Amino acid sequence: MHRPAPATAPRTRLARVLACAAVPVMLVAVGCSSDSGGEKKKDSGSSSSAATPSGKQSSSPSVAPAKYAKLPDPCKALSEKTIDDLVPKAKSKSGTAGKSTDVAAQGTCSWNGLDDKGVKGSQYRWLDVSFKRYGSDAAIGGGDQRAAKEYARLLASTKAADGAKNVKTAPVSGIGDEATAVSYDLHKTDEDFKYAVIVARTANAVVVLDHNGAGYQGADAPDAGDLMKDAQSAAKEAVASVVAANGGKQ
């Protein structure tokens, strides 16, 4: 005899169907929740990566600190004996200082004199020394690098002096880290002048020494070799004064 199925069976099957149907919904919900968390993490990562470049910018490439922090008093960079030898009868042995808005960065001093030899004429001499110092800056380079650029610029400018003739250049050893001697002739004030210029660099400082002269009233022009020899000796002394001004650090 066939018995009818219990009335509860359909309800049970229905419950199972509903339960199975609910599973994907839950998975979707979980997936959304997971995606949401992933987006948050992703956002957090974006924020972190955005901060990284700014962190890199704040830590700029380092450069070596400049070796010399001071410059000597240009009018005291050369000894009185040197002034007497290179500029006989100097108007002022203490020299004439050039104007500078920052004596720690640059300075100049000059001497001149006319040695009257009576009927033999007169000898005029001029001596000038200039200093420039460069600090280290991460944005524009180290002090030595900046000084080297200025050294090259001043050397080129010296060789291209307006009206200069018979220009000759030669490297000089024993004066700072690098030095070049430049000699030339220049006609001015109706006289023929001889020039001996030393352009030198020691670490982050650049030194230029200009020694020139002429013979007046029939006197012979100064000997170019003697002028250059004296200029090199004075330039070496000027470079040494930079070292001395910074505690004697070589």
Side-chain angles (χ1 to χ4, degrees):
M1 182 176 178
H2 179 72
R3 293 183 181 179
T8 59
R11 292 195 186 115
T12 303
R13 286 197 299 272
L14 179 60
R16 287 176 181 174
V17 171
L18 291 175
C20 289
V23 172
V25 175
M26 292 175 64
L27 290 175
V28 170
V30 171
C32 291
S33 173
S34 176
D35 289 345
S36 174
E39 288 178 357
K40 286 181 180 178
K41 290 180 181 178
K42 186 176 181 181
D43 289 344
S44 175
S46 298
S47 173
S48 173
S49 66
T52 302
S54 114
K56 287 182 179 178
Q57 290 175 357
S58 63
S59 57
S60 301
S62 60
V63 295
K67 184 174 183 179
Y68 298 126
K70 300 177 182 178
L71 286 178
D73 179 338
C75 289
K76 295 180 180 179
L78 303 176
S79 67
E80 286 190 12
K81 182 180 184 308
T82 297
I83 303 304
D84 285 339
D85 290 344
L86 273 63
V87 190
K89 308 295 183 181
K91 290 181 180 179
S92 172
K93 291 185 180 181
S94 59
T96 302
K99 293 181 179 179
S100 175
T101 56
D102 185 358
V103 293
Q106 61 181 356
T108 65
C109 192
S110 62
W111 298 260
N112 69 87
L114 183 67
D115 185 8
D116 189 350
K117 296 184 179 296
V119 295
K120 294 183 179 180
S122 302
Q123 288 291 331
Y124 176 80
R125 294 293 184 273
W126 170 279
L127 177 64
D128 180 277
V129 63
S130 67
F131 298 89
K132 283 190 175 183
R133 184 189 65 82
Y134 292 86
S136 291
D137 189 315
I140 54 180
D144 285 25
Q145 178 187 11
R146 297 176 64 201
K149 289 182 179 179
E150 178 64 5
Y151 167 83
R153 187 191 72 79
L154 288 173
L155 180 56
S157 175
T158 301
K159 293 190 291 185
D162 188 26
K165 295 180 179 180
N166 303 321
V167 180
K168 297 178 182 178
T169 64
V172 183
S173 61
I175 302 178
D177 294 313
E178 55 183 333
T180 301
V182 183
S183 63
Y184 58 88
D185 300 334
L186 184 63
H187 186 78
K188 63 178 184 179
T189 62
D190 295 327
E191 300 295 341
D192 293 321
F193 278 72
K194 299 287 185 179
Y195 278 75
V197 183
I198 305 296
V199 182
R201 179 184 69 84
T202 174
N204 59 308
V206 180
V207 180
V208 179
L209 188 132
D210 180 346
H211 183 35
N212 63 78
Y216 281 85
Q217 298 173 330
D220 293 335
D223 182 80
D226 290 341
L227 278 180
M228 183 56 74
K229 182 179 178 180
D230 288 341
Q232 290 186 24
S233 178
K236 190 172 185 178
E237 187 178 339
V239 168
S241 73
V242 175
V243 178
N246 289 271
K249 298 178 183 178
Q250 290 288 346

